[in-house]
Amino acid sequence: MILIMTLAFFAGLVYYTVNLVMHTAEWVSVPSNTHLPAHDKLEYAGKILDRNNVVLAQSVEGQRYYNTDELTRKACVHIVGDNSVNIATAVQTVYRSKLTSFRFTGSFLFGLGMPESMKKIDDVTITGNDFRLTVDSRLQKVALQALGDYKGAIFFYNYKTGEILCMVSTPTYDPQNVPEDIETNDAYAGAYLNRALSASYPPGSTFKLVTANAALQTMPDITKSTYICPGTEIVGGSNVSCYQNEPHGLLDMKEALAKSCNIYFGKLAVALGRDRMTKTAEQMGFNQHIEFDGIETADSIYDVSTANDNELAWSGIGQYTVLETPVNMAMISGAIANGGTPVKPYFVDSINELSQNTPTLGERMLDKPTADTLREMMEYTALSYSNLDRHFRVCAKTGTAEISDDGTVAHAWLTGFLADEECPLAFSVLLERVQTGSAEAIEAANKVLQAVAEYYHA
């Protein structure tokens, strides 16, 4: 028995020693090792770079510094983060432990469990891990300026590769000089929230892409049928009205989408029914969240389980209780551009020059014939009823999500994509509480599109 216990002891000692040698990096970085500095405060963290190697954050002599340009710092704070962990979706929150690496170079046995006086920081080599992101800090600055004083978000990503080129949220702040009143000043309310990923809004008429998808897949002759829009109509016992009660006259689906006819799509939702509308919405990312780069986004919501016909009609035009995230709205546009299948977005390109992401397909949102039809309709919409930038073939849909009883205050939306092999970008733009419909969203998108044309389009 003594022999067996002795052999077991030495076997365990050998196992422990080998395991310690193989996993020293993990061992030295655990919080219980008090011989290490407080490395969770980024003193030794590596650089964070944009796609053009612009330094967005770095540590120098135990201090964390951010880009020397204040506008760049404010434009990128929701992606990079600050010294805290308040921005849940930022690199310096999600990848905090990976920004710093530790290598134990002392004796593997001598000093284990020994007094503090015998533990030496000299036995640990601390290095920073450099992160290169997919975002372009130049576009970030343009997008921040385009949002102006509005709260909102602008999101542009490559629908072929998944690379996020631009993701800006407002209100924002300077991570190098965090305002002392950020927790109490209403001007900074929601400043830690990345609205592109972590906030859901009524999508307004951008949701008509979902309703159109449901109809195109189940009503073979829907593109040939017409409807005369009177501007307001009783549906399910109550009014459904178009924007400012404007009558649109004779419409087919293409014109109804371009003119954003509420009555047309409201009645279409009722004809399709709750089950079909719910199934299609869930195929297009609703009632679920998106996961990438270690992040879970907020859910987009479509729930008409208790809706009457009038409420179902309003859901078909993105009102009622429907909620959408800007990132999912961009993925819907990206799926249409891709023939029905979205590519998942990401913004961490590499760590220490080792690639971290490859294009990853999401679940198919719509079939290719439907995607091709919607692509044609969205291009017609952009050409005929908006003043979007003409450097590209833009396919788009606007949205005005009314949030006041009198219809004077709304969230302004724009979603779409560039039908351009050189710049395959899908996008969504959201401005909270505007009083001019979708015009402000179009103006903001144009500023970013003009910058894209300058930087990427010969």
Side-chain angles (χ1 to χ4, degrees):
M1 179 62 71
I2 294 175
L3 178 61
I4 294 174
M5 292 179 66
T6 302
L7 290 173
F9 171 78
F10 280 104
L13 183 62
V14 170
Y15 171 80
Y16 179 77
T17 303
V18 171
N19 191 53
L20 183 61
V21 171
M22 294 178 65
H23 299 284
T24 52
E26 293 90 338
W27 179 82
V28 297
S29 61
V30 297
S32 59
N33 288 314
T34 56
H35 61 289
L36 288 177
H39 57 272
D40 64 324
K41 294 182 180 178
L42 304 172
E43 294 97 331
Y44 301 93
K47 295 178 180 178
I48 298 176
L49 312 165
D50 84 343
R51 68 185 297 112
N52 300 311
N53 292 322
V54 174
V55 177
L56 304 178
Q58 62 180 325
S59 293
V60 180
E61 296 180 354
Q63 296 292 322
R64 194 67 169 167
Y65 295 98
Y66 299 88
N67 189 274
T68 55
D69 175 53
E70 181 181 352
L71 185 61
T72 299
R73 297 195 298 266
K74 289 181 175 180
C76 296
V77 67
H78 291 98
I79 298 174
V80 174
D82 60 14
N83 288 4
S84 73
V85 293
N86 288 320
I87 302 176
T89 56
V91 171
Q92 292 187 165
T93 300
V94 179
Y95 293 92
R96 204 169 188 82
S97 62
K98 290 188 177 181
L99 279 161
T100 309
S101 63
F102 304 86
R103 186 165 59 88
F104 185 63
T105 54
S107 168
F108 291 110
L109 295 177
F110 185 75
L112 293 181
M114 301 300 287
E116 291 298 315
S117 60
M118 300 185 68
K119 297 178 181 179
K120 299 186 298 180
I121 188 62
D122 293 343
D123 291 338
V124 179
T125 300
I126 308 173
T127 59
N129 293 320
D130 293 342
F131 279 58
R132 178 174 287 104
L133 309 182
T134 63
V135 297
D136 188 326
S137 58
R138 299 171 301 179
L139 294 181
Q140 293 286 117
K141 290 194 292 183
V142 171
L144 179 58
Q145 292 174 313
L147 284 168
D149 294 330
Y150 287 110
K151 292 182 179 180
I154 293 179
F155 184 93
F156 275 69
Y157 92 115
N158 187 312
Y159 58 77
K160 295 293 186 184
T161 66
E163 298 168 280
I164 298 173
L165 268 70
C166 177
M167 180 168 59
V168 172
S169 178
T170 52
T172 186
Y173 64 96
D174 185 352
Q176 195 71 60
N177 303 287
V178 178
E180 293 182 0
D181 61 347
I182 193 170
E183 305 283 355
T184 58
N185 189 334
D186 287 345
Y188 295 111
Y192 295 138
L193 186 71
N194 184 341
R195 283 167 160 75
L197 307 181
S198 302
S200 302
Y201 300 87
S205 293
T206 57
F207 189 82
K208 289 169 184 172
L209 296 172
V210 179
T211 306
N213 177 23
L216 288 165
Q217 292 190 71
T218 57
M219 300 176 173
D221 296 325
I222 189 64
T223 57
K224 299 176 183 177
S225 63
T226 58
Y227 165 73
I228 298 175
C229 168
T232 182
E233 186 171 333
I234 300 296
V235 180
S238 299
N239 270 343
V240 172
S241 56
C242 290
Y243 186 62
Q244 297 180 339
N245 297 321
E246 177 187 359
H248 292 120
L250 184 65
L251 299 166
D252 59 9
M253 179 181 274
K254 184 177 180 179
E255 285 292 338
L257 189 71
K259 294 182 178 179
S260 209
C261 180
N262 287 347
I263 304 174
Y264 180 96
F265 284 96
K267 293 182 72 172
L268 202 54
V270 173
L272 288 161
R274 287 193 294 265
D275 291 346
R276 170 54 59 182
M277 285 295 298
T278 299
K279 181 179 180 180
T280 303
E282 290 180 346
Q283 286 175 344
M284 301 183 80
F286 285 79
N287 299 334
Q288 58 191 287
H289 55 256
I290 303 161
E291 296 184 12
F292 63 92
D293 284 332
I295 295 166
E296 286 189 0
T297 70
D299 288 359
S300 297
I301 304 295
Y302 185 81
D303 182 4
V304 291
S305 56
T306 62
N308 59 36
D309 280 355
N310 182 263
E311 291 165 337
L312 181 59
W314 281 108
S315 79
I317 58 179
Q319 298 282 172
Y320 183 47
T321 60
V322 186
L323 296 173
E324 174 71 301
T325 59
V327 59
N328 192 61
M329 195 72 257
M331 287 182 68
I332 288 173
S333 287
I336 294 169
N338 269 337
T341 303
V343 172
K344 288 189 175 182
Y346 68 90
F347 59 81
V348 176
D349 177 63
S350 65
I351 303 176
N352 291 338
E353 302 298 331
L354 297 176
S355 178
Q356 298 298 302
N357 282 290
T358 56
T360 303
L361 295 179
E363 296 293 326
R364 176 171 285 276
M365 290 184 172
L366 61 169
D367 60 45
K368 189 176 187 306
T370 301
D372 291 344
T373 299
L374 284 177
R375 179 191 183 107
E376 178 188 340
M377 290 181 178
M378 291 173 72
E379 184 171 14
Y380 174 74
T381 298
L383 284 170
S384 304
Y385 295 98
S386 77
N387 61 342
L388 280 163
D389 189 270
R390 295 291 187 255
H391 285 95
F392 308 95
R393 286 179 57 201
V394 183
C395 305
K397 180 70 189 83
T398 58
T400 304
E402 297 178 10
I403 57 173
S404 65
D405 292 338
D406 61 3
T408 59
V409 181
H411 297 326
W413 280 90
L414 179 72
T415 189
F417 58 91
L418 309 184
D420 190 304
E421 290 297 323
E422 294 181 13
C423 296
L425 300 181
F427 58 86
S428 61
V429 177
L430 166 76
L431 278 65
E432 294 184 21
R433 304 187 67 83
V434 305
Q435 296 180 329
T436 54
S438 58
E440 295 282 1
I442 293 173
E443 182 180 346
N446 271 339
K447 291 177 181 178
V448 181
L449 288 171
Q450 288 160 11
V452 168
E454 179 182 349
Y455 299 144
Y456 295 100
H457 198 58

